[in-house]
Amino acid sequence: MLEIKHISFSYNAKEVLKDVTLSVKAGEVHGIVGKNGAGKTTFFHVVVKLLNFDKGSITYNGEDYLSTDIAFLETENFFYPYIKGKEYIQLLASDAHFPIQDWNYFFQLPLDDMVDNYSTGMKKKLALIGVIAMNRPVLIMDEPYNGLDLTTCELVYRIIRRLKEQGRLVLISSHIVSTLTAVCDRISILKDGAIHSTYKKSNFDRLTIEIADEFDQDINNKLDTLLN
């Protein structure tokens, strides 16, 4: 279990995360949804130890954890200059015998080409294979569907479900609710740097209503101001 308790994080004296508490079990897919600027990416960067939090604690199975316990798919992954697709996967793979070509059957990437020449969608597909090749018990995915076509999005849904069946722990963010309801067991709304509410699968309809109501109120208030 990944346990995140009372995490706070500030940047330039501005509190970005405020007393965030969240628990995710092995074999569970937990979604984080929120507007741009809500703190989703900062939250993930804190969890994977790219940023140091101010207060709180994060443990995995009751102990301090290593960054090597976690595979992290960023919104825009870093790639070394002049590296080929196949070399990138080999660099990340936990097993020298990871079946690169078998996985590429699904993604159809030119793995012998330089990654610099890949499109945005191709880079996202390569990064997906990379985090799978890392074979770690915790997978954190920040906006994994950005830049993917409809067919690949469906493939990612199926991969996440299979990882869940294997007992992996998946924490995933999106600003599009439907991409989360398709795979998640629970979804939390991150609002103004804090967990505002959490919904189980049986209550996802209420989640959709809450987000729609908040959107309607926000838009209507702005239009009232502009058009009066």
Side-chain angles (χ1 to χ4, degrees), residues 97 149 153 169:
H97 301 291
D149 56 61
C153 284
L169 185 162

Side-chain angles (χ1 to χ4, degrees), residues 182-202:
V183 294
C184 291
D185 300 292
R186 291 188 297 157
I187 299 174
S188 295
I189 298 176
L190 189 66
K191 182 179 179 182
D192 298 325
I195 297 294
H196 182 261
S197 52
T198 297
Y199 291 88
K200 297 179 180 179
K201 186 183 287 290
S202 58

Side-chain angles (χ1 to χ4, degrees), residues 71-91:
F72 181 36
L73 179 70
E74 299 190 64
T75 304
E76 295 183 9
N77 281 69
F78 170 80
F79 300 97
Y80 289 109
Y82 308 113
I83 194 170
K84 296 179 180 180
K86 185 176 182 179
E87 293 171 338
Y88 174 81
I89 299 171
Q90 291 171 333
L91 185 65

Side-chain angles (χ1 to χ4, degrees), residues 24 31 44 62 68 74 104-105 155 171 174 202 204 217:
V24 187
F44 282 177
T68 51
E74 299 190 64
N104 197 41
Y105 168 81
L155 172 61
L171 188 58
S174 180
S202 58
F204 281 174
Q217 181 179 1

Side-chain angles (χ1 to χ4, degrees), residues 39-103:
K40 301 187 299 295
T41 296
T42 299
F43 173 54
F44 282 177
H45 282 181
V46 165
V47 174
V48 301
K49 298 187 174 183
L50 291 176
L51 294 172
N52 296 319
F53 50 86
D54 303 325
K55 294 184 294 184
S57 65
I58 304 177
T59 58
Y60 177 59
N61 292 337
E63 300 179 351
D64 190 20
Y65 65 99
L66 302 173
S67 56
T68 51
D69 291 322
I70 296 174
F72 181 36
L73 179 70
E74 299 190 64
T75 304
E76 295 183 9
N77 281 69
F78 170 80
F79 300 97
Y80 289 109
Y82 308 113
I83 194 170
K84 296 179 180 180
K86 185 176 182 179
E87 293 171 338
Y88 174 81
I89 299 171
Q90 291 171 333
L91 185 65
L92 295 181
S94 63
D95 183 351
H97 301 291
F98 178 77
I100 295 175
Q101 294 299 335
D102 290 340
W103 274 100

Side-chain angles (χ1 to χ4, degrees), residues 62-210:
E63 300 179 351
D64 190 20
Y65 65 99
L66 302 173
S67 56
T68 51
D69 291 322
I70 296 174
F72 181 36
L73 179 70
E74 299 190 64
T75 304
E76 295 183 9
N77 281 69
F78 170 80
F79 300 97
Y80 289 109
Y82 308 113
I83 194 170
K84 296 179 180 180
K86 185 176 182 179
E87 293 171 338
Y88 174 81
I89 299 171
Q90 291 171 333
L91 185 65
L92 295 181
S94 63
D95 183 351
H97 301 291
F98 178 77
I100 295 175
Q101 294 299 335
D102 290 340
W103 274 100
N104 197 41
Y105 168 81
F106 299 111
F107 295 96
Q108 297 296 305
L109 295 173
L111 294 178
D112 291 324
D113 290 357
M114 296 289 183
V115 178
D116 289 344
N117 298 323
Y118 281 23
S119 68
T120 299
M122 291 165 66
K123 288 179 179 177
K124 177 64 66 128
K125 293 177 183 180
L126 181 64
L128 280 165
I129 301 176
V131 296
I132 293 168
M134 294 170 81
N135 193 32
R136 293 179 177 175
V138 178
L139 176 58
I140 296 181
M141 310 175 81
D142 192 7
E143 302 283 1
Y145 306 104
N146 283 2
L148 297 182
D149 56 61
L150 182 63
T151 301
T152 308
C153 284
E154 182 61 37
L155 172 61
V156 174
Y157 294 152
R158 298 188 183 200
I159 290 172
I160 291 173
R161 292 186 190 113
R162 290 294 182 93
L163 292 173
K164 173 188 170 179
E165 291 170 2
Q166 292 178 358
R168 307 286 183 91
L169 185 162
V170 182
L171 188 58
I172 180 172
S173 77
S174 180
H175 58 276
I176 302 173
V177 181
S178 60
T179 61
L180 296 180
T181 56
V183 294
C184 291
D185 300 292
R186 291 188 297 157
I187 299 174
S188 295
I189 298 176
L190 189 66
K191 182 179 179 182
D192 298 325
I195 297 294
H196 182 261
S197 52
T198 297
Y199 291 88
K200 297 179 180 179
K201 186 183 287 290
S202 58
N203 293 324
F204 281 174
D205 56 337
R206 289 170 51 195
L207 163 72
T208 304
I209 292 170
E210 178 179 340

